[in-house]
Amino acid sequence: MWNVRKAAVIGAGVMGSAIAAHLANAGIPCLLLDLEGLAARGVARLKETKPSPLYDPAFVARIRTGDLERDLAQLAECDWVIEAVSERLDIKHSVWKLIDSVWKPGMIVSSNTSGLSINEVTSVCGEACRRMAMVTHFFNPPRYMKLLEIVPCRDTDPQAVKEVARFCQERLGKGVVMAKDTPNFIANRIGTYAMLATLRAMEKHGLTVDEVDAVTGPLLGRPKSATFRTLDLVGLDTFLHVCRNVRENVSDPVEAEAFAAPEIVEELVRRGWLGEKSGGGFYRKNRAATAGGDKIEVLDPATMTYGPRAKASSPALEAAKTARGVASKLQALLEAADRDRLAAFARDVLEATICYSAEKIGEIADTVIEIDEAMRWGFNWEEGPFETWDSLGVTETAARLEERGIAVPAPVAAMLAKGSSAFYIRKAGSVFHYSQGHYKFVDERPEEISLRALREKGRTVFAGDGARLIDLGDDVACLEFHSPHNAIGPGVLSAIRQASEEVDRNWRGLVLANEGRNFCVGANLMLLLMEAENGEWEEIDLIIRDFQMSMRALRVMPRPVVAAPHRMTLGGGVEACLPADRILFSAETYFGLVETGVGLIPAGGGCLAAAALAQERAEAAGLDDVTAPLSRLFETIAMAKVSDSGHDAKRLGFWRAGDGVVIREEVRIAEAKRAVLGLDRLGYEVPDAERRVAVGGREAATVMKLGVSSMRRGGYITDHDVRIAGKLADVLTGGDVPAGTIVPESRLLDLEREAFLSLCGEPLTQARMRQMLATGKPLRN
């Protein structure tokens, strides 16, 4: 089995250095080569780039730099060499000749080209090197974008392709798609066509930039950056290059014409208005526009001037916004397309994109799966083109196309003629896809666990209002939140207590995980604000007691509990994880107790957990008191810090012995199940139901409050921040007791609850809560 003990990246530009960073993220030593001095500059840029290409800044030590010509011989030490130089065939040829001169048996060489032919790129190499050569097209930025397109050349050993695909999935956490050696491969081919179709439809319907982006974002199941913000991020010069690559390399003149760039894009590039990297493209920041900060202005293509943004609106747009799920939003737009110009525009963009995608089956990829996965993973579409066909109804969509005089793509017509009316069908938790006249089973990977598939197979143990318990097999259960945004409310808390009792009686252990967009965004803030505004203090007290007791039920369960959070895990979501015996973070986990941002403190056991963590750290370090480790956690919580990754939770002080990070998202739940079974096999020690904690007392609180006072004098925080931080310090340190006092956990829970209730009554806190609910942004008052 091929393994990468050391890798090399040639080309230290933005993309090459970011690829090296992601290899370092996966624990792989990497040699970064470029011309003299450029590699070192590339590594320096990694430390400054936001968001960071690295899970942990310390991982940069895994990257060693060098000069391509002077250090060329060092490539012989590498198992994988990735070429990531400029998208010019002559430059790539010169680099591949150098690689070929030091190539050794077993070394895999790949190009990070975004669309050049790998057969042409490798034409300067010997046959032995070509047999181990392919495209590995990372999408930018490599840490955050899941897609990796692999394209073999004519001579590539199929086994080498399998080994690279396996390694990139398992070690780098990539969603690997096999593409063919065609211009721009899959994602850029379809994505660029969709952009061009959007620009043509914009001109046809006379829409503004604001109107286009209002339609082509989440309403079409696309990212919030929609069309023009995405183009500005990509760079308009890069977009032109991608268009030109297809136009010059396809044989069909009609298709070539479809990839002709609009004049507005050509003009912007001529002016040097390339997007974000040049300070402006279709949007720009006018820093002089307002004393309050940057103001985003939008381009008027007719006059080539910038002006204020305008909110787009129409009856169809408003109806689509209120619809739930991308399929319902699309249907709302299509139903209004004959009477609403924004809906008509959406229909034209949608139909052009899904028809073109259908025409490319077999040419750019073998099956619909590769195309759908490429668009979901590479362009962050909620649904791929063929999933969209199914959502809209293939039969109905074909009929609508015919009514409007648009030819139904041949693959779709052939499928309908055979009596099949969907690209995908699901049966008892298994998925089948349509391919060449038949439905074929989509291979299931035994190392992955899908909660959706388990639900479809009837493995739900119970379903409550906000969460459900699912049988993962081997006597391990999973509690899956399914409330709106996975926020914790009464339904979730009830399900936690029910699950605790059920797992205690009948199971070997429990996994806390879900497959939502985020693990948990915190407690139900709307409910708390309503109760506070109505002065329902007894009701709030009951809610917090319920929260605390539910978290305690997880902590004292006589079965192992493993939490597997992913992406946003905030406030109450963190408090649900900390009682677990282990936390297996997804690599992309943004973890933090953020209650101070809405004028509150953690009161679901978060302060208790922090105090207990500080005690454990003090004992492990041989410290006489908990002040130092507790002060670190106080700063983290008081400033509402959130980790930049699963690894970064260690820097913030939330990491415990035994915790870990899973880089491959698809195996997160399976790894958590494996951890539960491991704890069970080792002989699980039942937690102490009457835990006692050594606290920092008034002495530690004084140290913390001195730091807060210094920040207030410096103007960094407000008086209300001081009040919140003071209450937090008192709770974390156990109240007015001497340092080292050992208190029962019930005391810390009581202090949490009292401070929380007090802050709920503060008008300034209620204002913060309202601001967060209205805008999603914190208020500094």
Side-chain angles (χ1 to χ4, degrees):
M1 180 182 290
W2 181 67
N3 187 35
V4 181
R5 293 157 297 185
K6 183 177 179 181
V9 177
I10 300 176
V14 171
M15 197 63 191
S17 56
I19 292 171
H22 196 56
L23 292 167
N25 285 336
I28 301 164
C30 186
L31 176 65
L32 180 62
L33 298 180
D34 207 316
L35 301 179
E36 184 70 45
L38 292 182
R41 277 183 237 161
V43 169
R45 187 170 53 245
L46 292 176
K47 301 174 184 177
E48 302 165 358
T49 302
K50 299 294 179 186
S52 176
L54 295 157
Y55 292 148
D56 185 322
F59 292 172
V60 76
R62 296 169 180 166
I63 304 172
R64 189 161 54 85
T65 61
D67 175 78
L68 178 58
E69 294 186 1
R70 184 182 64 244
D71 300 312
L72 180 66
Q74 293 185 34
L75 294 182
E77 304 169 5
C78 300
D79 303 295
W80 186 12
V81 176
I82 303 171
E83 169 269 302
V85 299
S86 300
E87 289 285 87
R88 280 178 43 186
L89 197 58
D90 58 336
I91 295 176
K92 290 188 181 293
H93 277 168
S94 65
V95 170
W96 278 75
K97 286 178 183 176
L98 292 174
I99 296 170
D100 190 43
S101 70
V102 295
W103 183 85
K104 65 172 186 179
M107 178 195 291
I108 287 177
V109 187
S110 65
S111 175
N112 185 56
T113 177
S114 60
L116 295 179
S117 167
I118 188 60
N119 284 296
E120 292 185 13
V121 168
T122 59
S123 63
V124 297
C125 300
E127 182 180 351
C129 182
R130 290 200 308 273
R131 285 188 58 76
M132 302 296 280
M134 65 194 75
V135 167
T136 51
H137 179 209
F138 290 81
F139 270 60
N140 191 30
R143 168 185 162 180
Y144 299 96
M145 296 302 293
K146 187 176 181 68
L147 181 61
L148 177 79
E149 292 176 320
I150 293 183
V151 187
C153 67
R154 282 185 293 268
D155 301 316
T156 308
D157 181 351
Q159 186 59 34
V161 174
K162 290 180 181 178
E163 292 292 340
V164 172
R166 175 195 58 79
F167 183 86
C168 291
Q169 285 175 337
E170 294 179 1
R171 288 292 301 278
L172 302 185
K174 291 298 173 186
V176 174
V177 166
M178 304 306 302
K180 297 191 175 185
D181 194 17
T182 55
N184 290 2
F185 314 134
I186 300 174
N188 279 340
R189 181 80 165 265
I190 301 296
T192 302
Y193 182 90
M195 291 279 191
L196 292 167
T198 300
L199 291 165
R200 289 192 295 271
M202 174 188 181
E203 185 175 356
K204 172 185 172 182
H205 293 280
L207 270 56
T208 66
V209 169
D210 280 323
E211 288 174 323
V212 169
D213 274 0
V215 176
T216 58
L219 296 187
L220 291 190
R222 312 283 171 79
K224 290 181 180 179
S225 56
T227 297
F228 293 108
R229 177 63 180 144
T230 298
L231 284 172
D232 279 356
L233 288 169
V234 168
L236 300 181
D237 53 340
T238 301
F239 178 66
L240 278 187
H241 170 78
V242 174
C243 293
R244 191 176 301 116
N245 190 51
V246 179
R247 191 170 68 249
E248 294 176 355
N249 289 284
V250 294
S251 57
D252 180 1
V254 175
E255 184 176 11
E257 181 60 27
F259 280 86
E263 175 56 30
I264 178 61
V265 179
E266 298 274 12
E267 176 60 23
L268 285 168
V269 172
R270 280 195 290 270
R271 294 181 181 217
W273 300 356
L274 308 179
E276 189 169 90
K277 62 186 175 185
S278 68
F282 285 100
Y283 295 99
R284 76 173 185 184
K285 289 181 180 179
N286 185 348
R287 290 174 171 81
T290 172
D294 293 342
K295 183 175 181 180
I296 304 298
E297 295 183 326
V298 64
L299 180 73
D300 179 353
T303 63
M304 296 301 289
T305 59
Y306 290 94
R309 301 190 63 181
K311 184 177 180 181
S313 182
S314 78
L317 217 60
E318 299 312 309
K321 288 178 182 177
T322 60
R324 296 195 64 179
V326 63
S328 297
K329 292 181 186 298
L330 295 179
Q331 289 288 3
L333 290 170
L334 292 176
E335 288 170 3
D338 292 333
R339 59 182 185 276
D340 187 299
R341 69 190 187 102
L342 294 184
F345 160 79
R347 177 187 61 191
D348 287 355
V349 171
L350 191 65
E351 290 179 347
T353 302
I354 64 174
C355 285
Y356 182 75
S357 300
E359 291 165 359
K360 296 297 109 180
I361 298 174
E363 178 184 335
I364 63 175
D366 286 329
T367 72
V368 300
I369 296 175
E370 288 92 354
I371 297 175
D372 279 345
E373 289 180 336
M375 300 318 297
R376 282 192 280 106
W377 294 339
F379 275 72
N380 289 324
W381 290 7
E382 283 192 48
E383 294 183 340
F386 301 99
E387 292 166 326
T388 301
W389 274 100
D390 283 354
S391 291
L392 299 177
V394 178
T395 303
E396 295 83 351
T397 302
R400 187 168 56 247
L401 291 170
E402 290 176 337
E403 287 174 6
R404 298 182 59 231
I406 300 173
V408 176
V412 177
M415 183 177 80
L416 292 172
K418 283 186 170 288
S420 299
S421 58
F423 285 101
Y424 299 94
I425 57 174
R426 302 184 72 92
K427 292 182 179 178
S430 296
V431 182
F432 300 81
H433 70 98
Y434 186 83
S435 178
Q436 299 178 338
H438 304 282
Y439 283 101
K440 297 181 179 179
F441 179 65
V442 177
D443 291 338
E444 295 178 350
R445 300 183 176 100
E447 73 276 15
E448 299 177 9
I449 289 179
S450 164
L451 296 180
R452 175 183 175 180
L454 291 176
R455 293 197 305 270
E456 292 174 351
K457 292 176 180 178
R459 301 274 283 276
T460 300
V461 180
F462 72 75
D465 179 18
R468 59 174 73 88
L469 193 68
I470 297 174
D471 178 4
L472 298 182
D474 298 315
D475 295 322
V476 178
C478 175
L479 186 64
E480 176 192 29
F481 297 173
H482 60 78
S483 58
H485 305 293
N486 287 339
I488 297 178
V492 172
L493 297 176
S494 175
I496 287 173
R497 292 193 301 277
Q498 185 180 351
S500 299
E501 295 171 2
E502 166 67 22
V503 171
D504 179 14
R505 289 192 303 265
N506 300 312
W507 303 78
R508 295 172 66 182
L510 178 69
V511 169
L512 294 174
N514 63 68
E515 295 170 330
R517 186 184 297 274
N518 299 296
F519 177 77
C520 176
V521 297
N524 187 330
L525 190 61
M526 176 64 79
L527 175 62
L528 284 170
L529 178 60
M530 289 173 57
E531 301 290 5
E533 288 179 331
N534 292 329
E536 298 288 350
W537 311 120
E538 290 184 4
E539 187 63 31
I540 294 176
D541 184 66
L542 287 173
I543 291 171
I544 300 307
R545 286 178 187 272
D546 189 18
F547 203 131
Q548 291 178 338
M549 292 306 100
S550 298
M551 299 305 109
R552 185 176 185 278
L554 288 174
R555 188 187 72 76
V556 303
M557 192 190 304
R559 306 287 184 185
V561 179
V562 175
H566 68 287
R567 299 193 65 81
M568 288 175 63
T569 305
L570 306 175
V574 172
E575 290 179 302
C577 292
L578 292 176
D581 299 286
R582 296 282 186 276
I583 301 178
L584 287 186
F585 298 91
S586 169
E588 297 301 339
T589 304
Y590 316 122
F591 196 83
L593 291 167
V594 296
E595 286 84 353
T596 60
V598 290
L600 299 168
I601 69 163
C607 291
L608 165 63
L613 276 172
Q615 179 184 6
E616 291 173 13
R617 296 212 172 93
E619 290 172 351
L623 300 175
D624 292 333
D625 66 66
V626 300
T627 301
L630 191 59
S631 294
R632 178 184 178 194
L633 282 162
F634 168 74
E635 180 182 337
T636 292
I637 299 169
M639 297 183 69
K641 293 182 179 180
V642 177
S643 71
D644 293 331
S645 69
H647 287 281
D648 195 45
K650 187 179 297 184
R651 176 181 62 87
L652 297 187
F654 292 120
W655 192 281
R656 300 93 48 86
D659 289 348
V661 174
V662 178
I663 195 170
R664 184 182 174 194
E665 177 61 25
E666 290 86 352
V667 302
R668 173 173 53 89
I669 297 173
E671 289 294 335
K673 172 188 169 182
R674 188 173 294 113
V676 165
L677 293 172
L679 288 168
D680 180 64
R681 280 193 298 269
L682 291 172
Y684 183 66
E685 183 177 340
V686 178
D688 182 3
E690 302 300 326
R691 180 171 57 172
R692 300 175 71 81
V693 181
V695 296
R698 63 180 74 94
E699 292 85 353
T702 299
V703 171
M704 295 173 187
K705 290 175 182 178
L706 283 172
V708 172
S709 296
S710 176
M711 292 189 70
R712 181 68 188 100
R713 288 194 300 272
Y716 298 109
I717 59 176
T718 68
D719 287 338
H720 194 48
D721 291 326
V722 173
R723 180 169 176 75
I724 298 163
K727 287 186 175 291
L728 175 64
D730 288 336
V731 175
L732 287 174
T733 57
D736 189 15
V737 296
T741 300
I742 298 175
V743 302
E745 66 176 44
S746 59
R747 174 177 173 83
L748 290 167
L749 292 175
D750 288 344
L751 289 170
E752 280 187 355
R753 196 169 61 256
E754 290 165 8
F756 189 92
L757 280 164
S758 172
L759 289 168
C760 276
E762 296 274 356
L764 291 175
T765 284
Q766 292 178 20
R768 289 191 179 194
M769 296 165 76
R770 281 191 291 271
Q771 168 89 356
M772 182 61 69
L773 287 167
T775 68
K777 297 178 181 179
L779 172 67
R780 297 298 307 279
N781 58 358

